[in-house]
Every structure is written in C-alpha cells, then in structure tokens.
Amino acid sequence: MAQIRFDVLTLFPEMFHGFLSTSIIRKAHEKGLIETNVTNFRQFATDKHQTVDDTPYGGGGGMVLKPQPLFDAVDHLLQDASERPPILLMSPQGAPFTQKKAEELAGHSHLMFLCGHYEGFDERIRQNLVTDEISVGDFVLTGGELPAMVIIDSVSRLIPGVLGNHDSAAMDSFSNGLLEYPHYTRPSEFRGMEVPEILLSGHHANMEKWRREQSLERTWTRRPDLLKSAPLTEEDRKFLRMLEQKKRSE
C-alpha cells in the first residue's frame, strides 16, 4: 500500500502524463511508495454540454467555476474514505508554499488538489470544500496544474524510500532553515576553476564546518529573512557577526 495518495481534480489531466511518468516520481510509483489519481471533474457536470463554469453574478470579466461539479467529484472520490484528507486549492491568493508546509503535508496519507484553469472559483468552494489555499509564488498562472505538480514533487521526495539517499532530503535548502551549501564533483580542476581544498582534505569535521559556514553565508547573502527563524548555534551567530563586521569594513 502506498505511503501517500494524491488525488488531483483538473480539467486537463493530460498535463500530468509526462510529470508522473518521468524520473523519481515514476520510480516512486513503480515502487508503490506513492499513488496518484488524476480526475477530470468535467465528467461530474450534470448538463448535456458538461458545463463547469458560468458568468459571475454582478458582472465582470471572465468565467467562474461552478460549485456543483467539484463538490460532486470530491464526494465521489471520498465516498469510501475513512477520513477526509486535506483538500488543497491552488491559488495565488493562498498561503506561500514552503518547505515547512511540504513537511507538514508529507505527514498525511492522502492529499487532494483542486486545480482551476483560466477561471476563478465560486467562493462556496473556498468556504465549504477547501481546507488549505496554497500559492507557489506571487505571480499568476493559467491554471493550478503546475503548482499541484510542484507540491506533489516536493512532498513525494520527503516520503521514505523515494530518494535513494535519505540525507538528500534532510540536507536540502530550507530543511534546516538555511539555504544549502555549494556542491562540487570531479574533476577537481576544470578550466582553471578548482574545488575548495578543504573538500579534498578528507577531514570530515573540517568539511562539515565549511559546509555549515557556506550555508550560513549563502543564506545571509541571498535570503537574510530566513535567519530570523533558523535554529542557530552560538558558533553560527559568531560567524554571522564576523560577516557583518567584514561587510562594514569593506
């Protein structure tokens, strides 16, 4: 039995074919670690034209997704469920998606994604069906399919066995509140660019210290906001103070 099941409701299920049949996500399905079901909620429309949207009350541009097809689709998919899973609405109005949120979602055995496309959602969907609205950034896309794929990928790699090396997920950027340190591989010299000597030394304690400091410096330079909530040791704070002093002296 899969450790986590994803149900995706979309008007464009074909968008998921390549994503689900490629690389780590494909292998995770083959191993039975994750299960993904993609449903076209148009099939739950009740009129002969299978209409899923309509014009907004009060006027205005665009179309609005009707509540009935989505409510009925969710009811159908959950008719045998022992408990109601988190139902995630992909929306630029939602809370920002973070690594912490990915870790929270990975603790569930079942997640459901509602993906609009072009249209907005009838507010009754937000108020009475959805448990979480999630945004993958401060920008607007034509639909929720790409954000759903982003979240499925991010959550899946946290499931034990999905990645070949469990430490890969544990050491990712944001997992410890910081950006990840730089990586190098062979050759040790390429076009005059050399791998830092400390990584060739074989001294593991020194290498770990270097990696921690690189992670701290990269976060301090690129995402200083993360340092406010990152778990820092006194050694970390001492190193950051040194960076601040160095900057002031330049």
Side-chain angles (χ1 to χ4, degrees), residues 9-11 38-46 50 52 69 73 76:
L9 292 170
T10 172
L11 295 173
V38 183
T39 301
N40 187 338
F41 62 86
R42 188 180 296 278
Q43 65 185 283
F44 293 92
T46 54
Q50 292 191 305
V52 295
H76 174 77

Side-chain angles (χ1 to χ4, degrees), residues 152-171:
I152 290 171
D153 186 284
S154 180
V155 171
S156 294
R157 64 199 319 281
L158 296 172
I159 302 302
V162 169
L163 296 182
N165 183 350
H166 177 68
D167 290 340
S168 295
M171 296 302 293

Side-chain angles (χ1 to χ4, degrees), residues 8-250:
V8 181
L9 292 170
T10 172
L11 295 173
F12 296 90
E14 61 273 15
M15 290 183 67
F16 289 83
H17 294 170
F19 167 66
L20 296 174
S21 60
T22 306
S23 188
I24 289 172
I25 298 299
R26 174 181 62 82
K27 293 176 181 177
H29 282 97
E30 291 174 349
K31 292 177 182 177
L33 299 173
I34 66 175
E35 175 188 349
T36 306
N37 302 303
V38 183
T39 301
N40 187 338
F41 62 86
R42 188 180 296 278
Q43 65 185 283
F44 293 92
T46 54
D47 67 313
K48 66 178 181 180
H49 299 296
Q50 292 191 305
T51 305
V52 295
D53 57 7
D54 208 334
T55 55
Y57 281 120
M63 303 289 280
V64 176
L65 284 171
K66 295 158 63 73
Q68 175 271 315
L70 276 168
F71 271 82
D72 285 359
V74 170
D75 288 344
H76 174 77
L77 291 171
L78 298 182
Q79 59 184 338
D80 296 323
S82 57
E83 60 181 11
R84 201 170 183 85
I87 300 177
L88 315 178
L89 178 67
M90 305 296 96
S91 167
Q93 300 180 32
F97 183 63
T98 63
Q99 185 67 22
K100 183 178 180 180
K101 185 65 174 179
E103 292 166 359
E104 174 194 322
L105 294 175
H108 294 276
S109 60
H110 187 189
L111 298 173
M112 182 172 286
F113 296 81
L114 306 187
C115 304
H117 207 91
Y118 307 126
E119 306 93 342
F121 289 86
D122 185 292
E123 190 64 18
R124 289 166 289 189
I125 296 170
R126 282 190 164 93
Q127 293 176 339
N128 300 287
L129 192 60
V130 169
T131 61
D132 300 79
E133 284 191 61
I134 298 180
S135 168
V136 295
D138 293 337
F139 50 86
V140 179
L141 298 170
T142 54
E145 288 79 12
L146 292 175
M149 292 181 212
V150 167
I151 295 172
I152 290 171
D153 186 284
S154 180
V155 171
S156 294
R157 64 199 319 281
L158 296 172
I159 302 302
V162 169
L163 296 182
N165 183 350
H166 177 68
D167 290 340
S168 295
M171 296 302 293
D172 279 343
S173 289
F174 307 111
S175 291
N176 64 354
L178 302 173
L179 300 184
E180 195 176 13
Y181 54 79
H183 293 276
Y184 295 88
T185 187
R186 295 180 180 87
S188 60
E189 186 276 334
F190 176 70
R191 296 187 180 182
M193 298 175 285
E194 297 183 348
V195 172
E197 187 66 31
I198 194 168
L199 297 179
L200 308 176
S201 68
H203 195 297
H204 293 288
N206 287 347
M207 286 191 287
E208 287 304 312
K209 182 175 185 292
W210 179 87
R211 285 172 170 168
R212 181 67 178 181
E213 290 178 347
Q214 289 291 311
S215 180
L216 286 164
E217 184 169 3
R218 181 164 287 189
T219 306
W220 178 76
T221 302
R222 302 182 183 184
R223 290 291 305 276
D225 57 297
L226 296 176
L227 295 173
K228 296 176 182 177
S229 57
L232 302 176
T233 66
E234 185 53 40
E235 280 296 310
D236 293 337
R237 293 187 177 90
K238 182 179 178 181
F239 179 75
L240 292 169
R241 287 194 294 269
M242 183 195 71
L243 293 177
E244 291 285 358
Q245 293 169 358
K246 181 179 178 182
K247 182 180 179 180
R248 286 195 294 268
S249 66
E250 289 177 351

